[in-house]
Amino acid sequence: MSHPAHNHRRENERLSATIRFLGNLLGEVIREQAGEAAFRLVERLRTLGKELRNGALERTDAELRLLASHMTVAEIQTVIKAFNAYFLLVNLAEQMQRVWVLRDRERQYPDAPRSESIAAAVAELHTCGILATTVQEWLDTACIQPVFTAHPTEARRRTALEKVRRLATLLDQRTGDLQGFAFEENTMRIREEIVSLWQTDEVRVVKPTVLDEVKNGMFYFESGLFDLLPRLYRELEYALRIAYPHHEWRVPPLLRYGAWMGGDRDGNPHVTHAVTIQTVRMMRIAAIERHIAAIEELSHRLGQSARQASVSDDLRVSLARDAALFPDVADLLARRNPYELYRQKCTYIREKLLRTLDHTRNASLDWGRADPLPEGAYFSRNDLLDDLNVMGRSLSANNAAIVANGALRDLVRQAEVFGLHTATLDIRQHSERHAAALAEVLAAAGVCADYTALNETERVELLSREIENPRPLIPTRLDYSPDTVEVIATFRAIAAILERLSPEAIETCIVSMTRGASDLLAPLLLAKEAELFRPFRFSRLNIAPLFETGADLECCDTVLEACLRLPVYRDHLALRGHLQEVMIGYSDSNKDVGYVAANWALYQAQRKLRDFGRRHGIRMRLFHGRGGAIGRGGGPANHAILAQPPGSIGNQIKITEQGEVIADRYGLPLLAHRHLEQVMNAVLRAGLLQRDDPPKEWTQALERLAALSQRHYRALVYERTDFVPYFRHVTPIAEISRLNIGSRPASRRNTERIEDLRAIPWVFSWMQSRHTLPGWYGLGFALETFVYERETSGSAIDRMALLQEMYARWSFFRVMIDNAQMILGKADLHIASRYAELAPDQNAAAAIFGAIREEYERTSRMIRQIARIERLLDNALVLQHSIQRRNPYIDPMSYLQIELLRRLRAAPDGPDHAAIEDAILLSISGLAAGLMNTG
């Protein structure tokens, strides 16, 4: 067996060699494309970046500032372009290293389940005495749903993603025994891709539309997930058979995907009902086209002849029905494939898919119409599955079970998971938009003159009465304000989609900033008016509250208790299978109360929601609204799942996949596989292994830490009147708001208030300016005060020992601490001080930055003591080395971004402003790629 230290050294050498190889090729491309002077400038800045980290701080800082101030905008653009290309190649090299390490481990330990794999989880369940029947019951209703969202931290275009995928394939080929021509050809192809990358606009020249974001999200389905998911299911089935060989397993489509692109309209006026309809069409077309290609491939495989093997009567009956639907096709098949009945069935399935495709493209979705569906087209996934399964049953019954369980079974899995819609689209809207629309409707109908003036009790009574009232409240023709018409049209579009196009396309309406039962009754009334809900008969939408602020998280169970006291809501829930989805927001809660208090509020909210579900016999599906940044709930997904309160996950979970994290997790198929197996491993263990709530002493400590942290955080962010101007000047928030990164505005309202700023640009801006404040501020003060405060019983030594014990034994606390140290490791207070110089009021900036620096040093010190390490990330060496590898390129880019911001703000309408804005956009993209976890 190989020695671990030797393996680690060899792996590091391979990564270094790959980066060196790619870096050398990039250097040649820079020389060729931009000239020798540009190459020397890039190298000079890279050298200064290294010297900045090697002790010559004062001299190197002055030289970097002087050099940046004398560079032309064109020179700055070239340097940033070079560093961006380097980050792209380094990120790819690190991704490939993960791929290669996984392969190495499999070769070294072929008989042992891979760590954090599906097989490891199932083996652990068996070892811990979990019965097969218990696992089966869990699987029967399980739902694991990653949800892709479009956010401005992933600025790369689809063309760049495709080039990276090709480069990955070429790099992987070099691990084989390439010699002579093959080796030279491979090197030439890699160089070709790097030249192409250099000559391509890395970021968008024009602001992306919502549909552009939909297309970008679809890349990951089309380039990997369609093929990957069947393999994951096979691995799960295999692991179950190995661990529990005497059980006949049924594995339903528990892992499937959701999406927000084209459905999330909260604060984004560009997401209209028409855009949502077009999004559903695009996603349905992608699934259908994929199934057409798969059925054509399957037809080539299924050449069995009825003269050689029997077929089932069910298959013959289905073929007779198909022949009646497609007589011309039947005539052709009778001549071409008279005995190849499976090929005949595949041909009919293809014809039905083509007819479905035509209907998807051309169906009229005007609300209230009752056009019949075209004969011979599929409507739901079950229609397609019926046809596929009739072939599978016939093959299995006639000595061809192995054929039924091959490519056909994979296609069945794809149909189960992706259906005819690819991913389920969530509809999200702010509670105030629903309330404003209903206020206008109720006033026009003479029901209530001013709904917004009612208190919560009065609103609930009025809405409950109107939901139960069978008479229509909203007329067919809408004579309201444009905003109200759009809210109503959204629900009508959902109804039309579900009734006449894609019945599985939309399941859930998410209500942002839910604060009372009326916020959930409002969309239920709008759903009733659109014929999506009829009391005691049907309910076609989950209504999911989104609890975002600290106060809202604290009273989440109170809101749901109020809903359950209402007969009309209990009826809705019963019609939805007694399943209540609840989304918890990691972003706004952090912005509201700070890192520690937000984490603890989220933990406590999940305990309350878990207990609420148990009290009332309701299945809870918690939807974790995590971002890529630590300040938005980021970090390793599997660690986060295992850190949730015991019993809070059950067998239902949704998790957002956002920003540059999507490209990192799904950019390469093997990494997507690794990410998903880790998620499934974590959910299986969290859902089925018994865990107890933490000891009272630990939770009391967290209560104290949360209170201390919140007080310290809000004292800086909300109580200092000069903090908002500081934030606006020392970060690129104003420039981010103007640039062509995403379709969504940076603020919900046109104000300067922190409360109205979206959490994504809030976190993104602090990351760009190297403060990384949302991911740690307040933690150090809380930890130090807790340990050393004299009013508390026990000694400081005892309280430090308690925190160290919590870190060692409580996954929630350990993940919170480790995520903070990760983002502290990516901060740089020296460079942040240079951004602070952009503030006009330098007296205020000095005071604010002094507080930030003091808290940074305190937090770093306390984390090192609790984790018992000498330096940050000493217990995460791969990440520590990755950051060290990137800093010589990240640091000069920060200096250049500061210089660009200074020039743009000094002359916002100057002759170079367009070129400067382009360069700033490039720097934002580059820093995001270099720092990772930025959104």
Side-chain angles (χ1 to χ4, degrees), residues 152 155 203-208 735-743 917-918 921:
V203 292
R204 301 175 182 94
V205 178
V206 296
K207 198 172 188 68
E735 291 71 23
I736 287 171
S737 303
R738 290 202 304 268
L739 296 172
N740 301 320
I741 301 178
S743 70
E917 285 193 349
D918 285 346
L921 174 56

Side-chain angles (χ1 to χ4, degrees), residues 582-636:
V582 177
M583 186 170 184
I584 51 176
Y586 289 68
S587 307
D588 283 285
S589 58
N590 182 288
K591 181 162 63 74
D592 180 34
V593 296
Y595 178 67
V596 180
N599 272 273
W600 185 237
L602 288 157
Y603 190 90
Q604 291 290 71
Q606 290 176 76
R607 293 175 72 178
K608 291 177 180 179
L609 293 168
R610 173 200 66 190
D611 295 344
F612 166 82
R614 289 173 176 173
R615 280 196 305 272
H616 297 286
I618 293 169
R619 290 184 300 138
M620 302 299 293
R621 178 186 295 162
L622 298 191
F623 185 0
H624 298 259
R626 295 178 174 275
I630 299 308
R632 299 190 54 246

Side-chain angles (χ1 to χ4, degrees), residues 291-311:
H291 294 326
I292 289 171
I295 203 68
E296 288 172 348
E297 172 63 24
L298 186 64
S299 179
H300 294 307
R301 292 171 177 264
L302 298 182
Q304 285 87 340
S305 169
R307 295 190 299 173
Q308 305 299 323
S310 299
V311 299

Side-chain angles (χ1 to χ4, degrees), residues 554-844:
E554 188 174 350
C555 65
C556 61
D557 57 334
T558 305
V559 171
L560 293 180
E561 291 282 4
C563 288
L564 273 198
R565 287 195 290 269
L566 305 170
V568 69
Y569 195 83
R570 289 200 304 272
D571 172 53
H572 152 72
L573 217 52
L575 292 168
R576 297 300 297 172
H578 298 283
L579 172 70
Q580 176 65 63
E581 184 172 314
V582 177
M583 186 170 184
I584 51 176
Y586 289 68
S587 307
D588 283 285
S589 58
N590 182 288
K591 181 162 63 74
D592 180 34
V593 296
Y595 178 67
V596 180
N599 272 273
W600 185 237
L602 288 157
Y603 190 90
Q604 291 290 71
Q606 290 176 76
R607 293 175 72 178
K608 291 177 180 179
L609 293 168
R610 173 200 66 190
D611 295 344
F612 166 82
R614 289 173 176 173
R615 280 196 305 272
H616 297 286
I618 293 169
R619 290 184 300 138
M620 302 299 293
R621 178 186 295 162
L622 298 191
F623 185 0
H624 298 259
R626 295 178 174 275
I630 299 308
R632 299 190 54 246
N638 57 324
H639 294 176
I641 290 167
L642 291 168
Q644 304 314 311
S648 64
I649 288 175
N651 67 349
Q652 303 277 325
I653 188 170
K654 288 173 69 173
I655 314 170
T656 51
E657 302 274 33
Q658 299 184 4
E660 80 293 329
V661 171
I662 296 178
D664 188 53
R665 290 175 176 169
Y666 292 92
L668 302 180
L670 194 59
L671 293 184
H673 175 273
R674 179 58 172 164
H675 168 62
L676 290 174
E677 74 170 356
Q678 288 176 317
V679 168
M680 291 185 71
N681 170 288
V683 176
L684 282 163
R685 291 164 62 202
L688 284 162
L689 294 176
Q690 181 65 39
R691 294 184 298 149
D692 296 325
D693 277 331
K696 186 176 181 181
E697 187 180 20
W698 294 2
T699 59
Q700 288 175 337
L702 252 296
E703 287 286 352
R704 181 65 179 147
L705 291 171
L708 290 167
S709 173
Q710 178 175 339
R711 187 179 77 200
H712 194 64
Y713 170 84
R714 290 190 65 89
L716 176 73
V717 175
Y718 288 97
E719 294 172 17
R720 286 196 67 120
T721 57
D722 50 7
F723 182 80
V724 171
Y726 177 85
F727 166 66
R728 295 281 175 184
H729 285 103
V730 308
T731 74
I733 179 60
E735 291 71 23
I736 287 171
S737 303
R738 290 202 304 268
L739 296 172
N740 301 320
I741 301 178
S743 70
R744 181 192 302 276
S747 293
R748 286 188 170 96
R749 299 182 182 89
N750 188 24
T751 74
E752 294 288 302
R753 300 189 331 144
I754 297 292
E755 293 90 333
D756 294 327
L757 180 70
R758 289 194 166 278
I760 297 159
W762 163 257
V763 174
F764 196 30
S765 299
W766 286 118
M767 196 76 183
Q768 290 279 314
S769 66
R770 311 295 294 279
H771 291 66
T772 72
L773 176 147
W776 54 268
Y777 193 87
L779 173 60
F781 175 82
L783 293 170
E784 185 178 72
T785 304
F786 176 81
V787 169
Y788 296 107
E789 60 187 348
R790 295 182 178 179
E791 310 82 78
T792 308
S793 61
S795 68
I797 293 174
D798 291 338
R799 288 191 290 274
M800 175 57 75
L802 173 64
L803 294 178
Q804 289 172 336
E805 180 190 18
M806 289 162 58
Y807 180 81
R809 296 179 51 202
W810 188 12
S811 57
F812 163 75
F813 187 67
R814 183 170 59 254
V815 167
M816 185 181 76
I817 294 294
D818 284 349
N819 282 343
Q821 74 159 318
M822 183 228 289
I823 213 66
L824 283 165
K826 295 184 178 185
D828 188 285
L829 270 290
H830 166 70
I831 291 177
S833 71
R834 295 295 169 248
Y835 279 91
E837 292 174 356
L838 295 170
D841 185 346
Q842 278 298 294
N843 289 330

Side-chain angles (χ1 to χ4, degrees), residues 45-54 57 60-61 64-65 68 79 83 87 768 770 825-832 834-835 883-898 926-927 930-931:
L45 283 162
R46 185 170 70 91
T47 301
L48 289 171
K50 286 183 176 180
E51 292 174 0
L52 192 69
R53 295 277 166 174
N54 291 333
L57 182 63
T60 310
D61 171 75
L64 274 167
R65 297 168 79 176
V79 169
F83 287 170
F87 290 136
Q768 290 279 314
R770 311 295 294 279
K826 295 184 178 185
D828 188 285
L829 270 290
H830 166 70
I831 291 177
R834 295 295 169 248
Y835 279 91
I883 292 171
Q884 291 169 354
R885 189 181 299 119
R886 293 158 186 270
N887 281 334
Y889 298 83
I890 294 173
D891 295 348
M893 192 180 294
S894 291
Y895 277 87
L896 295 176
Q897 187 182 82
I898 293 167
L927 285 170
L931 291 165

Side-chain angles (χ1 to χ4, degrees), residues 478-499:
L478 304 178
D479 188 20
Y480 304 115
S481 66
D483 283 353
T484 296
V485 168
E486 179 54 40
V487 169
I488 296 167
T490 294
F491 283 88
R492 290 182 172 181
I494 297 168
I497 288 167
L498 297 181
E499 289 171 11

Side-chain angles (χ1 to χ4, degrees), residues 25-64:
L25 285 183
L26 176 61
E28 293 172 13
V29 169
I30 293 170
R31 276 196 176 98
E32 175 189 280
Q33 300 292 318
E36 184 65 31
F39 174 77
R40 286 200 301 270
L41 184 58
V42 169
E43 285 298 293
R44 179 63 186 142
L45 283 162
R46 185 170 70 91
T47 301
L48 289 171
K50 286 183 176 180
E51 292 174 0
L52 192 69
R53 295 277 166 174
N54 291 333
L57 182 63
E58 193 170 325
R59 177 189 60 77
T60 310
D61 171 75
E63 193 167 347
L64 274 167

Side-chain angles (χ1 to χ4, degrees), residues 354-374:
L354 287 171
R355 195 163 288 187
T356 307
L357 188 60
D358 181 69
H359 173 67
T360 299
R361 286 175 171 147
N362 301 309
S364 171
L365 294 180
D366 296 331
W367 180 77
R369 292 181 58 165
D371 300 338
L373 293 169

